Amino acid sequence: MRLNRRQFLILSSIGVTSLAFLAKLLGNQSAQSTYVQPSKDIQPSLTPTPAPNPLLLRFISVADTGTGAQGQYAVAQAMTQYHRQNPFNLAILAGDNIYTNGEFEKIGAVFERPYQKLLQQGLKFHACLGNHDIRSDNGDKQVSYPGFNMQGRYYTFRRDSVQFFALDTNFNADWKNQLVWLEQQLSRSDAPWKIVFGHHQIYSSGVYGVNQPFIETLVPLFKKYGVQLYINGHDHNYERTRSINGTTYLICGGGAGLRPVGRSEWTEHSASQLSFAAFEVYADRIVVSGIGTDNRVFDRGIIHV
């Protein structure tokens, strides 16, 4: 604090106690003199902190499951453990549901018993047909089996803000009509999230590699109508791609057995690991997690709307 001549003369004539009091008083006056009145145009913000986006849907996907062997049970146990901590009631079953030849009489051993605890808690599977499934009766019994909730060899259903489109990707599929149907359904959909699933791969760093016919027929439809995610099996591994023209391609074929997998220019994560994929859907993103039989998340990625 800087004193003027008048203040100095006053201070020099009073005692120590009075001096301390007066110095404090003058200090307060000096501090008050520097206070700036806020502009009338500036008002305190009354906008509340926005709440985090709520979870709209949680589901899982798995494929190439139907062995009834130890590997399938290990993945089923991991799915059950995940369900305890993160409840969900939808599972995408992306083909090869019954090994080795789609013999429907095995349905108890390869589906109902491995997933018994989840089925008892109301988990609803939606399946599509794999190449092994069509070896017996062309998979007809699987299509009509209530536990697979198939409305045909290709079909669509909606959960909350997500519309799912199931395809028959086998060589003997009715491709002429199926492609027309798929484009019609995609064009009519007003769902913010569009997810297509089928058994066969499109982009893969596994044994089967790139599926050029599907790149020529399906990929343009996905781009045109804003499909954000394609889920499949066939290759017995896990692989998540980066966004390719707006679509992420996810292989979740480690549901019972494994084959090797490499990496490609489009790969975000790949692993030869018994596993399933879990999805949490929000208004602005889908969080994808690869979960192994040790119940640990070994991959996590985000798909944006």
Side-chain angles (χ1 to χ4, degrees):
M1 178 181 66
R2 189 172 181 177
L3 303 179
N4 58 34
R5 174 179 175 81
R6 181 172 176 272
Q7 290 170 334
F8 177 78
L9 291 175
I10 293 172
L11 289 174
S12 63
S13 64
I14 61 179
V16 175
T17 302
S18 298
L19 177 63
F21 173 77
L22 187 56
K24 182 177 180 180
L25 178 61
L26 291 172
N28 287 340
Q29 290 176 344
S30 177
Q32 290 174 0
S33 67
T34 63
Y35 177 73
V36 179
Q37 179 69 30
S39 168
K40 293 182 180 180
D41 295 331
I42 301 176
Q43 300 294 332
S45 175
L46 300 178
T47 304
T49 302
N53 288 331
L55 176 67
L56 303 177
L57 177 67
R58 181 183 289 120
F59 69 98
I60 67 164
S61 69
V62 67
D64 302 276
T65 55
T67 65
Q70 182 178 355
Q72 183 183 10
Y73 274 88
V75 175
Q77 184 175 356
M79 290 162 56
T80 304
Q81 177 62 29
Y82 179 76
H83 183 274
R84 291 192 191 102
Q85 300 174 343
N86 306 277
F88 58 92
N89 59 15
L90 170 63
I92 300 301
L93 191 59
D96 280 359
N97 313 311
I98 304 176
Y99 283 106
T100 296
N101 297 308
E103 307 96 329
F104 190 75
E105 60 270 19
K106 294 182 178 179
I107 192 68
V110 303
F111 178 73
E112 294 172 349
R113 286 199 288 276
Y115 307 119
Q116 181 178 16
K117 291 182 180 179
L118 291 168
L119 291 168
Q120 289 174 344
Q121 295 179 72
L123 179 61
K124 191 172 185 178
F125 285 80
H126 280 269
C128 65
L129 296 176
N131 54 296
H132 285 267
D133 298 317
I134 63 173
R135 293 181 181 180
S136 293
D137 302 316
N138 199 28
D140 289 345
K141 291 182 179 178
Q142 291 193 44
V143 173
S144 60
Y145 173 57
F148 285 166
N149 294 289
M150 298 175 67
Q151 302 160 29
R153 304 183 82 82
Y154 49 91
Y155 61 99
T156 183
F157 66 97
R158 182 161 176 169
R159 288 287 193 92
D160 201 276
S161 61
V162 184
Q163 187 162 354
F164 295 87
F165 305 82
L167 299 181
D168 177 3
T169 58
N170 288 293
F171 72 94
N172 65 345
D174 181 8
W175 281 106
K176 181 179 179 180
N177 290 318
Q178 181 173 216
L179 287 175
V180 172
W181 169 88
L182 178 61
E183 181 157 21
Q184 288 176 342
Q185 294 298 321
L186 287 173
S187 67
R188 294 171 182 170
S189 176
D190 62 355
W193 294 102
K194 300 178 182 68
I195 298 176
V196 178
F197 65 97
H199 179 64
H200 292 82
Q201 86 290 355
I202 298 181
Y203 291 94
S204 171
S205 305
V207 172
Y208 293 106
V210 172
N211 192 329
Q212 192 61 40
F214 284 6
I215 289 178
E216 295 173 2
T217 55
L218 293 177
V219 169
L221 289 178
F222 295 171
K223 180 180 179 180
K224 181 177 181 180
Y225 295 105
V227 173
Q228 295 101 340
L229 176 63
Y230 176 75
I231 299 171
N232 67 277
H234 200 43
D235 267 320
H236 295 187
N237 53 253
Y238 175 96
E239 184 174 9
R240 178 175 59 86
T241 74
R242 60 174 174 80
S243 176
I244 302 174
N245 293 321
T247 305
T248 296
Y249 296 83
L250 184 81
I251 299 172
C252 56
L258 295 175
R259 294 194 185 109
V261 62
R263 289 186 61 86
S264 302
E265 60 182 356
W266 58 74
T267 306
E268 284 288 351
H269 191 91
S270 61
S272 180
Q273 186 166 346
L274 289 172
S275 58
F276 66 97
F279 307 84
E280 292 187 332
V281 181
Y282 300 86
D284 62 341
R285 69 195 185 280
I286 296 178
V287 180
V288 184
S289 300
I291 302 176
T293 53
D294 58 359
N295 300 312
R296 295 183 179 181
V297 174
F298 62 84
D299 174 53
R300 179 161 286 158
I302 295 178
I303 300 171
H304 296 283
V305 70

